[in-house]
Amino acid sequence: MRQDFPQIDFKMPKIKPGLIRIIVLAVFGIILLYGSVYQISPEEIGVILRFGKFVRTADPGLNFKMPLGVESLTRVPVQRQLKLEFGFRTRRPGIRSEFSVTPETTKESVMLTGDLNVVDVEWIVQYKIKDPYKYLFKLRNVEGTFRSMGEAVVRKVIGDNSVDEVITVGRSRIADEAKQELQTLCDIYEIGIDVLQLIFQDVNPPDPVKPSFNEVNEALQEKERKINEAWAEFNQEIPKAEGEAEQVIRAAEGYATERVNRAQ
């Protein structure tokens, strides 16, 4: 048995041209507003480019720019402390940080000292961006160049010192010298970076020669200990002997005086 269903005609509601114009203008206004209003966080500076040319910087807070690609925004974290790692990479930061060493990082860390010894140096450089314009536009690939500069400076300073100075007593002085030279290079190349710290995390001889180096170091420490013990004994015995000699001299002078007086 066939059953016929009634046909229903769907008709699009008529929209007034004025309403369409209002909707289009509203959407266009939202796009303009979204593209022209932006927020800069307290640790950043905004760099505004107009058709690719630098025009101004924007301070933290609510700011405005020309929309539709006329002006573009680049955020630069000028208040954030940045860090580069040499000789290792942090794989997972935390209370118990995990580090990784690769053939690439080993190439950074192995270097020659002034007395032709090989050391394995791991260090970090902490820095801030002090000039956003120079950081963005004065040099291409700033981070890669800055890494190369840091490695070159440390190799130079390590090469000017002996292995004993590098591993023991001279580490802080060498790190300070490297920091000063790195800052000088940054100022010469105008890359807009302020070097805050250069810290040696670990300085050791390479693993194949570490046992022999430790034996030499232990022998040097034993030598130093013997010398200190000898000086301590010297400082103890010499004043004692000098005191006894002075006592004998005074006794002899007193005896001589007594004999002279008795004879007279």
Side-chain angles (χ1 to χ4, degrees), residues 81-90 99 121-127 146-147 154 175 179 182 195-202:
Q81 183 170 288
L82 306 174
K83 180 178 70 173
L84 284 182
E85 299 172 336
F86 296 83
F88 70 101
R89 299 293 185 271
T90 301
F99 305 98
V121 185
E122 297 177 357
W123 75 99
I124 63 173
V125 175
Q126 296 175 345
Y127 66 97
F146 185 57
R147 175 174 289 277
V154 171
K179 172 186 175 297
L182 182 58
V195 182
L196 302 178
Q197 282 186 316
L198 191 150
I199 305 171
F200 288 132
Q201 294 288 92
D202 199 9

Side-chain angles (χ1 to χ4, degrees), residues 17 19 29 35 38 42 84 107 117 133 143 179 195 206 211 228 249 252:
L19 181 60
Y38 60 94
L84 284 182
K107 290 180 181 179
N117 283 286
Y133 175 78
E143 185 171 333
K179 172 186 175 297
V195 182
N228 291 335
I249 292 173

Side-chain angles (χ1 to χ4, degrees), residues 6 14 31 41 47 65 98 102 112 115 130 143-144 150 163 182 188 191-192 204 207 210 227 229-230 254 260:
K14 293 184 179 180
I31 293 174
S41 64
V47 176
K65 64 181 178 64
E98 296 182 8
T102 63
L112 202 64
D115 52 357
K130 64 178 180 179
E143 185 171 333
V163 65
L182 182 58
I188 291 174
I191 63 177
N204 287 305
D207 291 337
K210 189 175 291 184
I227 292 174
E229 289 178 354
V260 170

Side-chain angles (χ1 to χ4, degrees), residues 91-137:
R91 187 168 55 189
R92 184 181 302 169
I95 298 176
R96 294 185 177 180
S97 300
E98 296 182 8
F99 305 98
S100 63
V101 178
T102 63
E104 180 183 356
T105 60
T106 302
K107 290 180 181 179
E108 294 175 348
S109 61
V110 176
M111 55 190 68
L112 202 64
T113 63
D115 52 357
L116 303 182
N117 283 286
V118 179
V119 290
D120 192 355
V121 185
E122 297 177 357
W123 75 99
I124 63 173
V125 175
Q126 296 175 345
Y127 66 97
K128 281 185 178 180
I129 300 170
K130 64 178 180 179
D131 192 323
Y133 175 78
K134 291 181 179 179
Y135 182 79
L136 292 176
F137 305 115

Side-chain angles (χ1 to χ4, degrees), residues 37-191:
V37 179
Y38 60 94
Q39 179 79 20
I40 300 295
S41 64
E43 64 178 10
E44 295 177 335
I45 285 291
V47 176
I48 305 299
L49 306 180
R50 184 177 300 160
F51 298 117
K53 182 179 179 180
F54 171 79
V55 289
R56 67 182 184 278
T57 59
D59 295 328
L62 192 64
N63 293 272
F64 299 90
K65 64 181 178 64
M66 294 183 181
L68 302 178
V70 177
E71 290 184 345
S72 60
L73 167 67
T74 301
R75 303 174 188 271
V76 182
V78 293
Q79 296 298 329
R80 189 182 306 164
Q81 183 170 288
L82 306 174
K83 180 178 70 173
L84 284 182
E85 299 172 336
F86 296 83
F88 70 101
R89 299 293 185 271
T90 301
R91 187 168 55 189
R92 184 181 302 169
I95 298 176
R96 294 185 177 180
S97 300
E98 296 182 8
F99 305 98
S100 63
V101 178
T102 63
E104 180 183 356
T105 60
T106 302
K107 290 180 181 179
E108 294 175 348
S109 61
V110 176
M111 55 190 68
L112 202 64
T113 63
D115 52 357
L116 303 182
N117 283 286
V118 179
V119 290
D120 192 355
V121 185
E122 297 177 357
W123 75 99
I124 63 173
V125 175
Q126 296 175 345
Y127 66 97
K128 281 185 178 180
I129 300 170
K130 64 178 180 179
D131 192 323
Y133 175 78
K134 291 181 179 179
Y135 182 79
L136 292 176
F137 305 115
K138 283 290 186 177
L139 196 67
R140 184 177 297 174
N141 188 18
V142 174
E143 185 171 333
T145 304
F146 185 57
R147 175 174 289 277
S148 300
M149 290 163 56
E151 183 178 348
V153 165
V154 171
R155 288 187 180 276
K156 174 184 178 298
V157 177
I158 293 292
D160 291 337
N161 292 271
S162 67
V163 65
D164 292 333
E165 292 174 314
V166 172
I167 293 180
T168 56
V169 296
R171 286 179 59 172
S172 60
R173 175 184 58 80
I174 293 171
D176 187 63
E177 289 180 6
K179 172 186 175 297
Q180 299 298 331
E181 292 200 19
L182 182 58
Q183 184 63 66
T184 300
L185 281 181
C186 291
D187 295 338
I188 291 174
Y189 287 104
E190 296 184 337
I191 63 177

Side-chain angles (χ1 to χ4, degrees), residues 20-36:
I20 296 177
R21 190 178 300 109
I22 292 174
I23 293 174
V24 171
L25 291 176
V27 172
F28 185 71
I30 292 173
I31 293 174
L32 289 179
L33 183 64
Y34 180 78
S36 60

